[in-house]
Amino acid sequence: MKLRTVSRRSIFVGVGATLAAGILLGAAIVASGVYNVAASVEHFRVTNLVLEFALRRSVDFHSRDVVVPDGLDDPDMVRLGARHFASGCAICHEAPGGSRLPVTGGMYPPPPPLDDAAAKWEDRHLSWIVRHGLKFTGMPQWPGEGRDDEVWPLVAFLNALPDMSPADYRQAASLQPAERPGEASVDCRSCHGDASRPPVSDLVPPLHGQSEAYLLRALAEYAEDRRQSGMMEPIAAGLSSETAATLAREFAAAPRPPVRLYGEAADPSSLARGEEIARLGLRERNVAACLSCHSGTRSPHYPRLEGLSEAYIRQQLTLFRDGKRQASSHGRLMTAIAKRLEDDELADVAAFLASAEAYGGPADTSASR
Amino acid sequence: MKQGTRIPALAKLLPFGTLAGCAGMQSALQPTGAEASDIGTLFWTVTGISVLTFLLVLAFMAGALKGSPGLRRRISDQRTIVACGIVLPVFVLSGLLTYGLLVMEAGSTRTASAEGPGITIVGKRWWWRVVYETPDGREVVSANELRLPVGRPVAIRLETEDVIHSFWAPQLGGKLDMIPGRTNVLTVEATEAGISRAQCAEYCGGAHAMMAMFVVALPPDEYDAWLAAEAQPAASPVSALAAKGEAIFAEYGCGACHTVRGSAAAGIVGPDLTHVGARHSLAAATLANDRDAFVRWIAQNQHIKPGNLMPPFDMLTPEELAALGAYLDGLE
């Protein structure tokens, strides 16, 4: 038998025709509407395998530059993560000891329980997913623009979750007896504490005794997307102006919490350097003295700092310095000052401002933990 | 400065039209100080000799090209070349060098005569801290305006707390750099009363051009009276509006950066405002000094002088700003 010689031209025509037929067939299937997008119908097994592989690769690739901070095993971080999980995430992801979620359980893909998340993903993966969300899954991105720092308490919580009993979880998330595991209320006191209990974490400021004008301004800035926080923005946006006014008035009328000492007292030389900046400023680098605005009978629009933790003051100063709070006039005012602080000065001044010496009041050592 | 911008375009093409641009309160050609006079005389002497030399060269060229054969021979003679090409330059240039060195010396001999209390000027981005020493040895901190007694040589210590600046008050003397980590001393003596202008003469960042100040030369007795008044604490507000402004000044923490002596405001970062209302300008000769200028500066200083270190206080209401303006304008 004689083999026919196939010309190069006919190979091109053949391949091209096959491709075109394939594309036409695909387009015809899409256009016909035969493919079922219903959440009630599961993917083919192969589709699931391909999607899962693509998702893992994508998360791994895009989280390659994420820097994991220290201290993710800090119980304080875990508590904040647990509390936020209870009020923000457990509406979709089943909480320990929680019941079946009839509505969101019907999503496809269903939001998975997260007990094994820490086993399946590395810290950088988890933080990236919480920060950026996942397309076509219902997992939203973090609502606080630029607040990469805010997702770490959730990573800390997810790491601790596999070892948590439902009771551990209730305790970590400070759930009140009336609150169900997956439906924590967004009552301010549950996170910010009140006269009888401290805030859920050092990264959460106590609100009682804060100035009313400041509280109103903070709520308005969160609600109008002028101050970024994935935790506070959704809550503030849901408040009516009457409710916000009432809350601000009530919190302002409550007595300010005593300054607490957190764990071991800070290094005395750090406190001394911080005191100099807070009281006198730093002339050579044009840093204004903190206490000129943040003590005594200053403008009600300036927040009172007594009772705030070192971690919170340091976090907010860092946000100011990195330009993440520049969308308001007051934010720009603090940004201009915070930008002039070096890392160690920022830490020193936070240590001092969180200490009782800054305000001349006695420390409440009983509340330290 | 102002006159400079108003010269007709044609005049700018002419060399003497350009000199007209140097007229006014920041002109080295209108000296009102002893040092500037010496420098002015040196300048005109050098300019005169240069013009004469230029004319002499032109004359020789004309002779060499168009002159009679006899003249051309004399020009090309060996002795003419030695006399005009070697001997004359040696004498003229050596003379000018000596004269120049003597003028520089004159500054240092006057330094020895500046025995009275001195003044320290510290360059900042972009303003001047001016610290006067009183006869009894106290320091009086002020800013953005230099006052001098007429007929009394004053040693001015020039320092900086950030980058290199250069202090230049053209009507009073030459310029001298402010260099981090050292103190340069410039001695000036105002010879007539009046207001001139000083300018930072070394590029020091974005708003360098807006780092200037007025220099006010006063008769000695007026100067002494002024310094005694400047050493006093701030005046109390006289109107209800100004009193409200004083309260707002304290409430918004202005004292974190600014000092108003006699009040709780004792900041060390920004200019001393104890007698700010009495100065001839605001923000280092950037704005006039009136209530309106204070209001504009407080709320919009980043538009007026971009990159300056004061944060804008645009959260204040127009009423609050007006009260602050009234208070600060009243600090005379």
Side-chain angles (χ1 to χ4, degrees), chain A residues 280-290 292-293 297-302 328-330 332-334 336-337 340, chain B residues 124-125 127 129 161-162 250-257 264 267-270 308-315 320:
Chain A
L280 303 172
L282 268 181
R283 181 155 99 183
E284 65 273 23
R285 267 211 303 292
N286 302 292
V287 177
C290 314
S292 292
C293 292
T297 53
R298 298 308 181 211
S299 162
H301 297 285
Y302 293 162
S328 68
S329 297
H330 286 91
R332 284 188 290 276
L333 173 60
M334 264 313 294
I337 299 164
R340 298 170 197 166
Chain B
K124 301 282 290 179
R125 275 171 46 206
W127 58 280
R129 176 181 295 118
E161 282 181 0
D162 37 57
E251 208 175 86
Y252 277 87
C254 307
C257 294
I268 50 176
V269 171
N308 88 80
L309 293 170
M310 174 159 162
F313 282 75
D314 50 358
M315 74 290 281
E320 289 172 323

Side-chain angles (χ1 to χ4, degrees), chain A residues 73-84:
Chain A
D73 49 356
D74 183 350
D76 193 74
M77 290 276 264
V78 175
R79 276 196 302 272
L80 179 55
R83 181 70 212 180
H84 183 74

Side-chain angles (χ1 to χ4, degrees), chain B:
Chain B
M1 278 278 291
K2 268 186 184 160
Q3 289 90 328
T5 58
R6 288 194 189 138
I7 306 168
L10 186 64
K12 284 186 179 168
L13 299 174
L14 305 167
F16 288 99
T18 316
L19 286 187
C22 301
M25 65 187 344
Q26 198 174 300
S27 169
L29 301 181
Q30 295 180 355
T32 57
E35 285 70 22
S37 292
D38 292 347
I39 294 170
T41 314
L42 174 66
F43 170 76
W44 286 117
T45 308
V46 171
T47 307
I49 291 175
S50 302
V51 169
L52 285 178
T53 310
F54 183 57
L55 292 177
L56 189 65
V57 170
L58 285 184
F60 271 116
M61 276 177 70
L65 291 170
K66 305 275 182 192
S68 66
L71 180 61
R72 293 169 65 172
R73 208 175 319 113
R74 277 199 296 284
I75 290 176
S76 61
D77 188 87
Q78 187 76 23
R79 278 169 297 177
T80 316
I81 291 174
V82 169
C84 298
I86 299 175
V87 177
L88 185 67
V90 166
F91 271 99
V92 170
L93 294 178
S94 304
L96 285 179
L97 178 67
T98 312
Y99 180 24
L101 289 173
L102 284 175
V103 169
M104 284 165 69
E105 242 347 81
S108 69
T109 48
R110 213 183 310 276
T111 306
S113 65
E115 286 169 345
I119 299 172
T120 304
I121 304 181
V122 183
K124 301 282 290 179
R125 275 171 46 206
W126 292 281
W127 58 280
W128 320 82
R129 176 181 295 118
V130 184
V131 185
Y132 299 85
E133 205 180 296
T134 62
D136 54 359
R138 282 182 305 142
E139 282 193 342
V140 179
V141 182
S142 182
N144 294 335
E145 187 159 299
L146 177 62
R147 298 209 176 205
L148 293 170
V150 171
R152 211 188 275 166
V154 179
I156 299 182
R157 286 178 294 276
L158 300 172
E159 297 170 2
T160 172
E161 282 181 0
D162 37 57
V163 297
I164 299 179
H165 302 276
S166 185
F167 173 79
W168 192 28
Q171 287 192 327
L172 289 170
K175 67 181 80 160
L176 192 58
D177 280 3
M178 302 165 134
I179 296 168
R182 57 173 292 153
T183 302
N184 286 337
V185 181
L186 177 74
T187 306
V188 296
E189 181 188 342
T191 48
E192 53 186 275
I195 299 180
S196 67
R197 199 169 181 278
Q199 167 71 44
C200 177
E202 176 73 40
Y203 180 72
C204 56
H208 156 69
M210 290 171 165
M211 180 170 172
M213 68 174 152
F214 289 107
V215 180
V216 183
L218 298 168
D221 47 339
E222 272 183 49
Y223 173 82
D224 292 338
W226 169 80
L227 186 56
E230 186 75 7
Q232 297 301 309
S236 301
V238 286
S239 68
L241 188 64
K244 190 183 157 204
E246 185 182 29
I248 292 168
F249 188 88
E251 208 175 86
Y252 277 87
C254 307
C257 294
H258 297 285
T259 291
V260 175
R261 275 177 277 122
S263 80
I268 50 176
V269 171
D272 185 293
L273 300 180
T274 308
H275 299 291
V276 66
R279 294 180 202 146
H280 287 79
S281 73
L282 283 190
T286 302
L287 296 176
N289 187 342
D290 56 36
R291 277 187 200 196
D292 235 34
F294 277 112
V295 168
R296 281 181 56 213
W297 177 259
I298 294 165
Q300 301 166 32
N301 59 67
Q302 291 300 328
H303 292 286
I304 296 167
K305 194 167 177 173
N308 88 80
L309 293 170
M310 174 159 162
F313 282 75
D314 50 358
M315 74 290 281
L316 294 171
T317 64
E319 293 74 30
E320 289 172 323
L321 285 169
L324 270 177
Y327 167 61
L328 293 169
D329 194 40
L331 291 178
E332 289 189 351

Side-chain angles (χ1 to χ4, degrees), chain A residues 156-194:
Chain A
F157 166 69
L158 291 175
N159 282 339
L161 185 57
D163 302 326
M164 274 187 181
S165 68
D168 293 339
Y169 166 73
R170 287 196 74 90
Q171 197 196 0
S174 315
L175 289 175
Q176 299 303 298
E179 288 178 313
R180 293 199 288 163
E183 289 172 31
S185 74
V186 290
D187 174 24
C188 314
R189 291 163 186 83
S190 60
C191 281
H192 292 282
D194 56 26

